[in-house]
Amino acid sequence: MTLNKTLLSKIFMRSAQPMVLTSSTGTVLALNDAFTDLTGYTSKDLVGKPPLAFNFKSRANQTYEDLEQALVDTGFWEGETLEKRIDGEAIPCWVKIERIDEKDDKSGSFLYLGSLKDLSDDKLVERNLYRASNYDLLTRIPNRNLFLDHLRKNTYDANINKGQFAIICLDLDQFKSINESYGMRVADDILLIVGDRLLRNFAENSQDKTFIARIGGNEFAIFVNNLYSKEEMFAYARQVQNVLAEPFNARGKPITLTCSCGVSHFPSSATDADELMRSAQHALSIAKESGNSSVVFYDHSMAKKAQEQMQISSGLRRAATNNEFELYIQPKFSSEKKLTSAEALLRWNDPVNGIIGPDKFIPILEESDLIHEVGQWVVDEACKLATKIHALGLKDFKIAVNISQKQFEAFDFYKNIMKVLSANGFDGDKLELELTESTIAQSPDFVAETLGRLRKAGISIAIDDFGTGFSSLASLSHFPLDTLKIDRAFIKGIGAGKNSENIISTIVAIAEALNLNIVAEGVETERQLKFVLNNNIDEIQGFYFSKPLPYQEFIDYISSLGFI
Ligand code: C2E
Ligand code: CA
Ligand code: CA
């Protein structure tokens, strides 16, 4: 059977594929039922008219001229377009146009067949996927992903146009406790309200294309264009805090919240999107540490410090296993200049950087749980060194070790001290623990009980850096204590006005009233020594006599003084 024109035109008309036949100039010659179904246009509306030229809207930045050129050059074009339905609705379509080797009877020009594929369903899926990966499901505002995209675009533009902008990362303070005390629904409601408030107050009607996202559990981020000075950025962040400080009404519960903010600025904080984000979050973590409602602006010293800390902290892990710690010993003398005891002070023998002092690494040990392990080693090593000194004939020699708050608060602290004593056969009478005022300012029952048990084992307790904290007289009299160590800062002030001297006399009076032993630390000069000796101080420690020394040097030193 040969296909005659009538048959072909029937096939054309009834095909399920939307098709349109045009002349070489785009004038519509025929369209089929499927085309009408898709677009709403009938033959009456379009035949004789060149609608493709008006309607052409490429989705790939191609122009109608590109299409015409392709048809002239190759007789073929295909691409994604937005077709318009008769009611104005846009339909995403994949369009193929092909020259067919038939000429129009009337004009004698070639015919072109356009076929369309409706992409709406695909687009819907695509759109949903896009939404799911770029928007937060709960608040329906952009998520971290989209925020980063936005940042990338804007850093690119700002690089070219010399633009400036800031990002503010904010975190709702104590959000966890809201979750715990009111439940997840209330917490979710609050997040919804926060997103909404931020949008209403900062993004809507903003001429600066302010962009807001939820970037994590209770973290939001705001992109603000055209902020130049630190003052402007702080003021903006404070405004954000004020907006969120208004009470929330979440499921009938009035709740007030505060938030902390970390701010970074393009280009002074960073010039790349990921780094900007990291720096704002770094600033935010510092803001969170420094307490509720802080605003911290990122500066480069923070990165340097963090890097240093990272290095130290990874080095410290190694130090603990490689025996890189060492105890130095600094002697204490009685007012008659007799050697009474010594303080053990920790040093880190870093194979790369040499000897590192404790101020650099104790805080990092405290942040990690390493303080327990290292602190236990310190007590053990101190007992071992003191045992050797006892064996040299100094039977009454006492060793003091520093105990950090975190170490003291561990539930097994007392037990661990006892373990060290029995493992070394060490007499508790020869051990002193130095605690700071802030350590004993925590839960008084626990402190009193632990100190009581230690005291029973013969161990004495000294309060270190005394005068810098806020110990109440009441707490001093309630706890079983032995010694107050006057902070070095007051000894330093001797001879420089009456202030420090008055404080020293007051501390001595308190110690006498409470029947406590009193130590002056940091005595460096003859003048300081005279002053403390005139003020009834029992023991003296400081560079005037000796710096903290490695064990063997300490032995050499005390033997040179004739103590052994
Ligand atoms: P601290 O307990 O107040 O120790 C006294 C500090 O003052 C020591 O510094 C010591 O070298 C220094 N010092 C002593 N006499 C003088 C003086 O006459 N002039 C001056 N300028 N300084 C003097 P170091 O050894 O650097 O220790 C610093 C801090 O590190 C200690 O302060 C203590 O809080 C902490 N620390 C040291 N070892 C340990 C330890 O094993 N565990 C814990 N938790 N902390 C420790
Ligand atoms: Ca100390
Ligand atoms: Ca001290």
Coordinates of all heavy atoms in Angstrom, one line a residue, residues 129-130 132-135 142-152 211 213-215 277:
L129 N 12.8 18.2 43.3 CA 14.1 17.9 43.7 C 15.0 19.1 44.1 O 15.7 19.1 45.1 CB 14.9 17.2 42.5 CG 14.6 15.7 42.4 CD1 15.3 15.1 41.2 CD2 15.2 15.0 43.7
Y130 N 14.8 20.1 43.3 CA 15.5 21.4 43.5 C 15.1 21.9 44.9 O 15.9 22.3 45.7 CB 15.2 22.4 42.4 CG 15.9 23.7 42.6 CD1 17.2 23.9 42.2 CD2 15.2 24.8 43.2 CE1 17.9 25.1 42.4 CE2 15.8 26.0 43.4 CZ 17.2 26.1 43.0 OH 17.8 27.3 43.2
A132 N 13.9 20.3 47.4 CA 14.3 19.5 48.5 C 15.8 19.7 48.8 O 16.2 19.6 50.0 CB 14.0 18.0 48.2
S133 N 16.6 20.0 47.8 CA 18.0 20.1 48.1 C 18.4 21.5 48.4 O 19.5 21.8 48.8 CB 18.8 19.5 47.0 OG 18.6 20.1 45.8
N134 N 17.5 22.5 48.1 CA 17.9 23.9 48.4 C 17.1 24.6 49.4 O 17.4 25.8 49.7 CB 17.9 24.7 47.1 CG 19.0 24.2 46.1 OD1 20.2 24.5 46.4 ND2 18.6 23.5 45.1
Y135 N 16.0 24.0 49.8 CA 15.2 24.7 50.8 C 15.0 23.9 52.1 O 15.0 22.6 52.0 CB 13.8 25.1 50.2 CG 13.9 26.2 49.2 CD1 14.3 26.0 47.9 CD2 13.6 27.5 49.6 CE1 14.4 27.0 47.0 CE2 13.8 28.6 48.7 CZ 14.1 28.3 47.4 OH 14.3 29.3 46.6
P142 N 15.5 29.2 52.2 CA 16.7 28.5 51.7 C 17.5 27.8 52.7 O 17.5 28.3 53.9 CB 17.5 29.7 51.1 CG 16.4 30.7 50.7 CD 15.4 30.6 51.8
N143 N 18.2 26.8 52.3 CA 19.0 26.0 53.3 C 20.5 26.4 53.0 O 20.8 27.3 52.2 CB 18.8 24.5 53.2 CG 19.2 24.0 51.9 OD1 19.8 24.6 51.1 ND2 18.8 22.7 51.6
R144 N 21.4 25.7 53.7 CA 22.8 26.0 53.7 C 23.3 25.9 52.2 O 24.1 26.8 51.8 CB 23.5 25.0 54.6 CG 25.0 25.2 54.6 CD 25.6 24.0 55.4 NE 26.9 24.4 55.7 CZ 27.3 25.0 56.8 NH1 26.4 25.3 57.7 NH2 28.5 25.4 57.0
N145 N 22.8 24.9 51.5 CA 23.3 24.7 50.1 C 23.0 25.9 49.3 O 23.9 26.4 48.6 CB 22.4 23.5 49.6 CG 23.1 22.8 48.6 OD1 24.3 23.0 48.4 ND2 22.4 21.9 47.9
L146 N 21.8 26.4 49.3 CA 21.4 27.6 48.5 C 22.1 28.8 49.0 O 22.5 29.7 48.2 CB 19.9 27.7 48.5 CG 19.3 28.7 47.4 CD1 19.7 28.2 46.1 CD2 17.8 28.7 47.5
F147 N 22.3 28.9 50.3 CA 23.0 30.1 50.9 C 24.4 30.1 50.3 O 24.9 31.2 49.9 CB 23.0 30.0 52.4 CG 23.5 31.3 53.0 CD1 22.6 32.4 53.1 CD2 24.8 31.4 53.5 CE1 23.0 33.6 53.7 CE2 25.2 32.6 54.1 CZ 24.3 33.7 54.2
L148 N 25.0 28.9 50.3 CA 26.4 28.9 49.8 C 26.5 29.3 48.3 O 27.3 30.0 47.8 CB 27.0 27.5 50.0 CG 27.7 27.3 51.3 CD1 28.0 25.9 51.6 CD2 29.0 28.2 51.3
D149 N 25.5 28.8 47.5 CA 25.3 29.1 46.1 C 25.3 30.6 45.9 O 25.9 31.2 45.1 CB 24.0 28.6 45.6 CG 24.3 27.3 44.8 OD1 25.4 26.9 44.7 OD2 23.3 26.8 44.2
H150 N 24.4 31.2 46.8 CA 24.2 32.7 46.7 C 25.5 33.4 47.1 O 25.9 34.4 46.4 CB 23.1 33.0 47.8 CG 22.7 34.5 47.7 ND1 21.8 34.9 46.8 CD2 23.1 35.5 48.5 CE1 21.7 36.2 47.0 NE2 22.4 36.6 48.0
L151 N 26.2 32.8 48.1 CA 27.5 33.5 48.4 C 28.5 33.4 47.3 O 29.2 34.3 47.0 CB 28.1 32.7 49.6 CG 27.7 33.2 51.0 CD1 28.6 32.4 52.0 CD2 28.0 34.7 51.1
R152 N 28.5 32.2 46.6 CA 29.4 32.0 45.5 C 29.2 33.0 44.4 O 30.1 33.7 43.9 CB 29.4 30.6 44.9 CG 30.0 29.6 45.9 CD 30.1 28.2 45.3 NE 30.4 27.3 46.4 CZ 29.6 26.4 46.9 NH1 28.4 26.3 46.3 NH2 29.9 25.7 47.9
F211 N 19.6 38.1 51.9 CA 19.3 36.7 51.7 C 19.3 36.0 53.0 O 20.3 36.1 53.7 CB 20.3 36.2 50.7 CG 19.9 34.9 50.1 CD1 19.1 34.8 49.0 CD2 20.4 33.7 50.6 CE1 18.7 33.5 48.4 CE2 20.0 32.4 50.1 CZ 19.2 32.4 49.0
A213 N 18.8 32.3 55.3 CA 18.7 30.9 55.2 C 18.8 30.2 56.5 O 19.2 30.8 57.5 CB 19.9 30.3 54.3
R214 N 18.2 29.0 56.6 CA 18.5 28.2 57.8 C 19.6 27.3 57.5 O 19.4 26.4 56.6 CB 17.2 27.5 58.2 CG 17.4 26.6 59.4 CD 16.1 25.9 59.8 NE 16.3 25.0 60.9 CZ 15.6 23.9 61.1 NH1 14.6 23.5 60.2 NH2 15.9 23.1 62.1
I215 N 20.7 27.4 58.2 CA 21.9 26.6 57.8 C 22.1 25.4 58.7 O 23.1 24.7 58.4 CB 23.1 27.5 57.7 CG1 23.4 28.2 59.1 CG2 23.0 28.5 56.6 CD1 24.7 28.9 59.1
M277 N 32.0 31.6 55.0 CA 31.0 30.8 55.8 C 31.7 30.3 57.0 O 31.3 30.4 58.1 CB 30.5 29.7 54.9 CG 29.3 29.0 55.5 SD 27.9 30.1 55.4 CE 26.7 29.1 56.2

